[in-house]
Amino acid sequence: MFPTVREVLALDPVRHGAPRVVAGDEGLDRPVRWVHVAEVPDIATLLGGGELVLTTGIGLPGDDAGLRAFIGDLADVGVSGLVVELGRRYVSGVPRVMAAAAERRGLPLVELRRATPFVRITEAVHALIVDAQLTELRATEEIHQRFNDLSVEGADAAEVIRQAAELSGCPVVLENLSRQVLGYDPAGESAELLLDGWEQHSRRIRPAGRTAYDADSGWLVTTVGARGQDWGRLLLRWPASGDVPSARAVEPAAGSPTRLTILIERAASTLALGRLIRRDAEGLERQIHRTLLTALLDHSRPVDEVGLRAKALGVVLDRRHLVGVMVRHRADDPAGEVGPEAGQARLRDLSEAVGQALREAKLTALTSAVDDHSVGALLALPDPAAEDRALSAFASALRRVRLDAGTGRPAPGVEPARAASGVDVSRPAADVSRSASDASRAAVGADPARTGFGVDASRAASGVESARSGVGVDPFRGASPGAVIVAAGSGVGTLREARRSLVEARQIAEAARRDRRDLPIFRLPHVGLAGLLHLLRDEPRLQTFVERELGALLEYDARHPREQLLDTLRAYLEQGRNKSAGAAAAHLSRPAFYERLARIARILDVDLDSVEASLSLHVALLALEAVRTP
């Protein structure tokens, strides 16, 4: 906002005085907040820092010690520079002792070898400062107007980030509390370099305060959240030139321009407001998954950009065997579902089931709803040989998820009880709030038998299997209107061919609606803790819990990548806190393993022998895996 000493020296009134820098030329990029004319030696007590002092020297001390003290006082108060006009007190040049003191303190000292009216210099510089302030005010007003418009229009996160990068001219990154990238704009720089090793890099950025500038990394950071529930951070890279002001500076984000501080805070507010407005919609990570899958299907984004953004989310698609999968209900509008809200709730339930199934099957994939009836997934496998095994594991996991979300099939005219997860995937959202007691009373004496993909058949107390479902199909064949179809396209070797696999899977799913066959049925246990954590992976409170429990250790590993104490902790907990077994699992000697555990205990400030503390850490590890794996 303010001109520098170098820029002031380039002004015509100053050039008229034939300026010559005699000391402190490394400080010429200091900003000039004001110009002050002074002819007394104790002027420093009247200054606030950032001034360019003009003097003829007639009132300066005549002894060397006095001149050194004068220069020292100016440097201590933080003036931008000292300009001395020759001719009245000093004729051929400023005293050597003054030049030496200024050089030692890094204070720019300039001689004007020709007489020039100081008023012309002050007028020119102050006009420049006022113009810069007006420009800053206009820029600030544009920031407020731009983000107000985005809030009113309900712009998505990608648009908010793009506008922030455009207004600042700097790269902008939005991340969640687990340091995963939710969105970014490189502002013309290399996106690959920007996002490479992002999680570890982000954990090294530790500003002090809700909005602050981290001088070591050159990132301006603000927390994103509202109503006391933070869910992410917005980062803007602004590598400041020259000395970075102290953290005690007046600006809220010391080291960055006020305009950038205002910009990043307004952008964060717009993001938080948008999330509040869309609180009932799918999570932001899932929105990005949908954006990327839709981009592959519609060719709306370059394939390389899709791969890069997917990698930033933790889904590596490069050099993988890719398989497109589509999951959809057999019937578009099952009996009892009325209105678009019921259909949307049903699709959300199916999308959650697919995501959880991918997690249980330990598969990496992009997944989201791709239209009004289908949920798509692009599996990323290590090699083609794993395709059949992965698809089988996914289908089995999906069957488990939907079975565990269902209850016994009720008697005719009675709705199913509410699922253990809180929503029965076969019911419309409008009916979810109905009491489960009706179903339980209707099913007294009946033992529910689980069927294919969430379709249950009630068994009579005598153990005789109930009649076939109302549509005339054996419920164990899974072909009722509540059943789902899983279709997979041909595997491909590059991301550019992924669209063909996804389109093929969609076509197969559509054709299979008229085919009464179904996948085999498996009977498997309820969803465990990992599945529950995966359902809650987008919940900021879960991410906050992970950071509270493991944040210090994750930051330590980011600074010491060769040690990776997190793996040591995982081995210890997965072996039931058996140190000998944990050392063997971690491939470490017992003394080395014990020393690492002691270091972990110090870093986290916990007692690893405590069952409660270890349980909390184990849950946090499972939650960390959930938020890192789609």
Side-chain angles (χ1 to χ4, degrees):
M1 185 166 103
F2 300 112
T4 64
V5 176
R6 191 187 307 277
E7 291 170 339
V8 170
L9 296 181
L11 296 174
D12 287 342
V14 182
R15 292 172 59 193
H16 176 77
R20 183 172 73 93
V21 180
V22 296
D25 54 355
E26 70 275 9
L28 293 178
D29 291 321
R30 291 181 178 179
V32 177
R33 186 177 59 83
W34 202 246
V35 178
H36 196 85
V37 180
E39 298 295 353
V40 293
D42 58 349
I43 188 61
T45 59
L46 305 178
L47 303 178
E51 297 90 352
L52 181 65
V53 178
L54 306 181
T55 184
T56 62
I58 58 175
L60 297 186
D63 60 305
D64 291 351
L67 289 177
R68 292 192 192 96
F70 174 70
I71 294 295
D73 290 343
L74 292 181
D76 290 340
V77 80
V79 301
S80 299
L82 175 64
V83 178
V84 180
E85 182 188 73
L86 303 181
R88 298 196 181 187
R89 173 69 181 274
Y90 308 118
V91 179
S92 59
V94 298
R96 291 183 179 179
V97 65
M98 179 185 289
E103 183 68 27
R104 184 167 56 252
R105 297 300 300 269
L107 177 67
L109 177 60
V110 181
E111 295 176 343
L112 293 182
R113 291 167 290 173
R114 184 188 303 166
T116 184
F118 282 172
V119 66
R120 294 182 181 176
I121 297 177
T122 58
E123 285 178 346
V125 176
H126 291 168
L128 200 63
I129 292 173
V130 170
D131 287 344
Q133 289 175 330
L134 288 175
T135 301
E136 189 77 6
L137 286 174
R138 294 190 189 101
T140 302
E141 177 63 25
E142 181 183 359
I143 289 171
H144 286 294
Q145 186 61 46
R146 187 82 64 94
F147 287 108
N148 281 340
D149 293 343
L150 292 174
S151 298
V152 171
E153 295 168 0
D156 60 14
E159 179 62 18
V160 175
I161 294 169
R162 188 188 71 79
Q163 294 282 2
E166 179 181 311
L167 288 171
S168 66
C170 304
V172 178
V173 176
L174 173 65
E175 64 178 15
N176 63 16
L177 297 180
S178 295
R179 308 300 195 266
Q180 288 183 309
V181 177
L182 303 179
Y184 71 95
D185 191 306
E189 298 186 14
S190 170
E192 186 173 358
L193 292 177
L194 177 68
L195 300 178
D196 185 38
W198 175 260
E199 181 179 345
Q200 287 191 343
H201 176 64
S202 174
R203 292 189 181 280
R204 300 189 193 104
I205 304 173
R206 294 181 293 174
R210 190 170 181 85
T211 300
Y213 180 73
D214 184 64
D216 294 335
S217 62
W219 284 90
L220 176 62
V221 186
T222 190
T223 303
V224 184
R227 298 180 180 177
Q229 295 184 357
D230 298 333
W231 53 267
R233 298 198 308 175
L234 189 64
L235 302 95
L236 183 149
R237 191 173 69 192
W238 186 77
S241 59
D243 295 335
V244 176
S246 166
R248 295 188 298 272
V250 175
E251 291 189 9
S256 64
T258 303
R259 179 175 58 86
L260 291 185
T261 300
I262 294 173
L263 184 149
I264 195 171
E265 289 182 337
R266 287 292 288 114
S269 299
T270 304
L271 290 168
L273 178 61
R275 181 155 176 141
L276 286 176
I277 294 173
R278 298 186 297 270
R279 60 167 42 185
D280 291 331
E282 56 189 346
L284 185 55
E285 292 91 340
R286 201 54 59 195
Q287 291 181 36
I288 300 172
H289 277 240
R290 180 167 189 162
T291 298
L292 298 181
L293 274 181
T294 303
L296 289 174
L297 287 167
D298 300 343
H299 293 302
S300 57
R301 292 176 183 267
V303 172
D304 292 341
E305 180 182 345
V306 172
L308 183 61
R309 295 196 65 180
K311 183 179 180 180
L313 275 174
V315 183
V316 179
L317 301 178
D318 295 329
R319 300 175 184 175
R320 295 292 190 274
H321 183 72
L322 306 176
V323 182
V325 175
M326 289 288 166
V327 182
R328 62 159 298 146
H329 288 277
R330 282 189 179 273
D332 289 345
D333 300 301
E337 283 198 359
V338 180
E341 292 184 0
Q344 292 172 6
R346 185 166 173 257
L347 184 63
R348 282 199 303 269
D349 292 341
L350 182 60
S351 181
E352 287 292 339
V354 171
Q356 185 176 340
L358 288 169
R359 173 64 181 86
E360 289 196 7
K362 301 187 183 302
L363 295 175
T364 299
L366 287 177
T367 177
S368 77
V370 294
D371 55 39
D372 292 339
H373 305 290
S374 304
V375 177
L378 182 62
L379 306 185
L381 309 175
D383 56 72
E387 179 175 327
D388 292 340
R389 183 172 64 255
L391 289 174
S392 177
F394 168 70
S396 299
L398 180 61
R399 184 182 299 272
R400 289 198 304 275
V401 170
R402 287 179 53 79
L403 280 174
D404 288 338
T407 59
R409 182 173 61 83
V414 180
E415 292 182 321
R418 186 167 181 166
S421 63
V423 179
D424 188 321
V425 296
S426 65
R427 295 175 58 187
D431 296 335
V432 167
S433 61
R434 297 190 182 181
S435 172
S437 60
D438 293 340
S440 61
R441 287 194 297 268
V444 171
D447 179 19
R450 294 180 176 180
T451 66
F453 293 90
V455 181
D456 300 327
S458 298
R459 296 178 183 272
S462 61
V464 179
E465 182 174 331
S466 65
R468 295 174 177 247
S469 65
V471 295
V473 179
D474 185 350
F476 284 90
R477 300 294 295 169
S480 76
V484 299
I485 297 164
V486 180
S490 302
V492 296
T494 66
L495 187 56
R496 297 186 182 279
E497 299 174 284
R499 181 180 183 274
R500 174 168 60 83
S501 184
L502 288 167
V503 170
E504 182 178 328
R506 176 185 279 174
Q507 293 171 343
I508 294 172
E510 182 65 26
R513 297 174 61 199
R514 294 176 290 276
D515 192 322
R516 309 315 300 177
R517 292 174 299 176
D518 198 6
L519 295 174
I521 299 172
F522 296 89
R523 297 179 63 186
L524 295 174
H526 293 287
V527 176
L529 177 60
L532 174 62
L533 293 174
H534 181 71
L535 282 174
L536 302 174
R537 64 192 297 271
D538 297 338
E539 173 58 51
R541 284 174 292 186
L542 180 65
Q543 297 174 6
T544 301
F545 169 74
V546 172
E547 290 300 309
R548 185 174 66 246
E549 294 293 318
L550 299 174
L553 192 61
L554 292 170
E555 289 177 2
Y556 181 91
D557 281 354
R559 296 193 304 269
H560 306 83
R562 293 185 178 181
E563 296 188 33
Q564 295 303 307
L565 295 181
L566 190 71
D567 292 339
T568 303
L569 178 62
R570 181 181 291 109
Y572 171 68
L573 296 176
E574 288 180 349
Q575 298 301 320
R577 298 189 301 123
N578 185 318
K579 295 182 180 179
S580 298
H587 304 289
L588 294 171
S589 65
R590 290 186 183 180
F593 189 79
Y594 295 166
E595 192 278 331
R596 286 195 173 197
L597 289 180
R599 200 180 322 156
I600 292 170
R602 289 195 302 271
I603 294 171
L604 297 179
D605 192 22
V606 297
D607 179 10
L608 293 180
D609 291 328
S610 167
V611 175
E612 183 177 353
S614 296
L615 176 60
S616 182
L617 291 174
H618 202 174
V619 172
L621 280 172
L622 292 175
L624 179 64
E625 292 179 8
V627 299
R628 283 179 169 177
T629 307

